[in-house]
Structures are given as structure tokens and as C-alpha cells.
């Protein structure tokens, strides 16, 4: 139950707002950006059906939802993330249930969003970068400090990496990280969901040492969207995560959870990961 609640909260309060601000191509139009708006739309369509969700469920929703209701909302939210459900249509249904009409000028705004950036592109790009930093990454550690714990994530966050596209690349390349760490993180973005690579494979691609790669991953400020959890040791040991090594590491369980959510087989008893090593870096 607690896991379902965490998944639901992450979905409506972090994943969807970040994709909206980044104008993910998963939706032609993002009519809302605020977390409570996403919650309203999904709750109305998944639980309310023909009336506002508040007519069927006491507030706050997350504390009163049954496991079945949580699963319905998570399923619908994931469909929005994947572009299988039209958010604008769902929003219109929700507003109609509440006897509301869209604000004048909404269509013009949607057209503008669909057509692309305005003359304030630099300002907008900065806003996007700040947004994804704040909602999808763990706090950045200062050089020489103890590593920050990785953001414990559900599959919604790791799946949304593909949808971020060039915005994620821009986020890395315009950060204040060293050029080497930027190269390491950009290489991570190539690793497909459900695949694993090794520190050795990464170092071969980057023409450096496995140890240097490990150090470059030690404080990944954009985890798990930039998937350092997909890197394991050459012998398929679990490797490091959040600055700690091996199956006894402080965050080993979190790394195993992220990999399993992506379909990778992990044997925590042995601290081993199964699967072919991915090396198709370009």
C-alpha cells in the first residue's frame, strides 16, 4: 500500500509536472503544469468518472484511496506519460464535471505551445533546467563532500528519460560539472532501459580508466533520470551506488529496485546482476 502511495505521489507531483514544463512530445498540448491539477484530472477520470472525485472519495485522496483506486490512477498517469491518453481531453472532461469552462485565450496558448518556443527561449530553457533539477534529481554534493543519497524512484521517473530528449542533454552540458563528468553522464543517457553496462565498457568508450568513471558517477546530481544504476562491475557484481559499493552498500537495495523495475534480474543474495552487457556507445 505504501509503495502504491509513493508511486502515485511521484507520478502526479514530480514526473508529470516536469514533463509539462519541458513540453515533452508525449503530449501535443500540456494544458496544466501544477501537481494538484494533474491529481485533479487523473482522479476525476479514474475515480470520479461521471462526477468530481470528491463526491466519491474523502480528502486528502492519497490517504483514503484503496489499492485498486491507486492502481487505476497510476495506470492512467502512466498512459499520459507514454502519450497513450490525451491530457487535454482528460482535462476538458474534468472541467466539465466541475461545471467549468476553459479560460479565454487557452486555445491561443495551446497553439503557441504546439508551435514551439517564443522569443524568450533562453529564459524558458533556464526555467526548464531549474525545474528538472529540482523535481527529478537528488541534491548536488559539493566536491569532496559525502555523496548525497540517490533519489529513490519508481519506474515513472526512469521511463520519462527518453521523453526529455534534448532538454536532458542541455541540462547536463550547461551544468557546472566538469567536462569529464558531463561526458560520463551523457554516455549514461545512451544506455537503454532494461540493459546494463560496466565501468570497463564506459571507460573504453571514454578512453579513460574504470576508476575515473566510477569517481565520475559517485555524485550523480541527476539520478535516476541519468541512469547510473545501469552500470555494474565487470563480473556482474552490483557495483556502486550513491557512493557506496557492493550488495552491502547503503543504497544497494535502491539500485536493485531500480534495475528490477526496468526488467533486469538481480540476485541480492549473491549481489549479482544477470543479462548481456550493453556496449553500443556512439
Amino acid at each position: 500500500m505504501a509503495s502504491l502511495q509513493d508511486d502515485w505521489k511521484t507520478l502526479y507531483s514530480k514526473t508529470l509536472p516536469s514533463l509539462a514544463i519541458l513540453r515533452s512530445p508525449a503530449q501535443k498540448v500540456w494544458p496544466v503544469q501544477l501537481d494538484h491539477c494533474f491529481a485533479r484530472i487523473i482522479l476525476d477520470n479514474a475515480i470520479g468518472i461521471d462526477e468530481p472525485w470528491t463526491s466519491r472519495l474523502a480528502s486528502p485522496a492519497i490517504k483514503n484511496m484503496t489499492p485498486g483506486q491507486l492502481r487505476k490512477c497510476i495506470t492512467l498517469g502512466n498512459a499520459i506519460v507514454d502519450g497513450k491518453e490525451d491530457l487535454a481531453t482528460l482535462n476538458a472532461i474534468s472541467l466539465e464535471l466541475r461545471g467549468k469552462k476553459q479560460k479565454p485565450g487557452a486555445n491561443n496558448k495551446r497553439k503557441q505551445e504546439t508551435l514551439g518556443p517564443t522569443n524568450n527561449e533562453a529564459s524558458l530553457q533556464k526555467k526548464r533546467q531549474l525545474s528538472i533539477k529540482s523535481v527529478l534529481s537528488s541534491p548536488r554534493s559539493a566536491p569532496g563532500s559525502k555523496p548525497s543519497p540517490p533519489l529513490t524512484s519508481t519506474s515513472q521517473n526512469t521511463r520519462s528519460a527518453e521523453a526529455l530528449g534534448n532538454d536532458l542533454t542541455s541540462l547536463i552540458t550547461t551544468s557546472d560539472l566538469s567536462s569529464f563528468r558531463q561526458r560520463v553522464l551523457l554516455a549514461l543517457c545512451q544506455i537503454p532501459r532494461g540493459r546494463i553496462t560496466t565501468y570497463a565498457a564506459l571507460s573504453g568508450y571514454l578512453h579513460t580508466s574504470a576508476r575515473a568513471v566510477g569517481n565520475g558517477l559517485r555524485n550523480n546530481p541527476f539520478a535516476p533520470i541519468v541512469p547510473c544504476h545501469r552500470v555494474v562491475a565487470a563480473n556482474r557484481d552490483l557495483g556502486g551506488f550513491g557512493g557506496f559499493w557492493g550488495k552491502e552498500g547503503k543504497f544497494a537495495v535502491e539500485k536493485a529496485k531500480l534495475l528490477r523495475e526496468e526488467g533486469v534480474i538481480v540476485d541480492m543474495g549473491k549481489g549479482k546482476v544477470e543479462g548481456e552487457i550493453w556496449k553500443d556507445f556512439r
Side-chain angles (χ1 to χ4, degrees):
M1 182 70 170
S3 177
L4 286 173
Q5 289 174 327
D6 288 343
D7 286 358
W8 164 235
K9 185 174 182 180
T10 298
L11 182 59
Y12 80 77
S13 68
K14 294 183 179 180
T15 305
L16 285 167
S18 70
L19 293 178
I21 290 174
L22 292 167
R23 289 193 287 191
S24 163
Q27 295 291 325
K28 293 181 179 179
V29 173
W30 291 90
V32 299
Q33 292 185 356
L34 301 179
D35 56 357
H36 67 86
C37 293
F38 285 108
R40 165 184 60 79
I41 293 169
I42 295 173
L43 287 166
D44 279 352
N45 282 274
I47 296 177
I49 310 297
D50 56 359
E51 58 187 344
W53 69 266
T54 47
S55 299
R56 297 175 180 259
L57 185 66
S59 183
I62 195 168
K63 291 185 178 181
N64 294 291
M65 296 164 73
T66 66
Q69 289 172 329
L70 285 165
R71 291 189 185 96
K72 281 185 178 181
C73 288
I74 291 169
T75 298
L76 180 56
N78 283 337
I80 295 171
V81 170
D82 294 336
K84 296 177 181 178
E85 288 285 351
D86 184 67
L87 180 62
T89 300
L90 295 174
N91 183 48
I93 292 171
S94 173
L95 293 175
E96 185 176 353
L97 291 177
R98 294 163 179 269
K100 298 180 179 179
K101 295 182 179 180
Q102 293 183 347
K103 296 179 180 179
N107 289 335
N108 289 337
K109 183 177 181 181
R110 289 181 183 178
K111 288 179 182 178
Q112 191 177 56
E113 289 179 347
T114 304
L115 289 172
T118 65
N119 292 332
N120 296 322
E121 179 60 31
S123 175
L124 177 60
Q125 182 68 17
K126 186 65 175 179
K127 180 181 179 182
R128 292 176 181 174
Q129 292 167 1
L130 291 174
S131 171
I132 190 174
K133 285 179 183 179
S134 65
V135 300
L136 291 181
S137 66
S138 55
R140 182 175 301 174
S141 299
S145 66
K146 292 182 179 180
S148 300
L151 179 67
T152 302
S153 171
T154 60
S155 57
Q156 287 87 10
N157 275 344
T158 54
R159 184 168 58 247
S160 64
E162 290 78 9
L164 299 179
N166 292 333
D167 288 302
L168 184 57
T169 298
S170 178
L171 175 67
I172 295 171
T173 57
T174 59
S175 70
D176 58 3
L177 299 175
S178 69
S179 59
F180 174 73
R181 290 189 66 195
Q182 288 182 19
R183 289 175 59 216
V184 172
L185 297 185
L186 288 172
L188 285 181
C189 294
Q190 297 185 42
I191 307 170
R193 177 182 171 82
R195 304 297 300 273
I196 55 172
T197 193
T198 65
Y199 300 96
L202 261 175
S203 66
Y205 168 67
L206 296 170
H207 304 291
T208 185
S209 69
R211 182 178 295 275
V213 168
N215 288 335
L217 298 179
R218 187 176 175 84
N219 287 316
N220 175 6
F222 309 124
I225 259 310
V226 177
C228 54
H229 60 279
R230 296 174 188 165
V231 184
V232 300
N235 63 356
R236 288 181 174 75
D237 278 350
L238 198 58
F241 197 55
F244 296 85
W245 186 265
K247 67 176 183 177
E248 304 300 331
K250 185 175 181 180
F251 303 112
V253 172
E254 283 83 353
K255 181 171 184 175
K257 178 183 177 183
L258 288 167
L259 288 170
R260 284 169 175 159
E261 286 176 344
E262 297 179 355
V264 177
I265 298 174
V266 182
D267 184 342
M268 281 302 289
K270 298 179 180 179
K272 294 282 188 178
V273 177
E274 297 183 18
E276 182 181 354
I277 302 302
W278 186 86
K279 299 180 181 180
D280 297 332
F281 293 102
R282 295 187 296 274

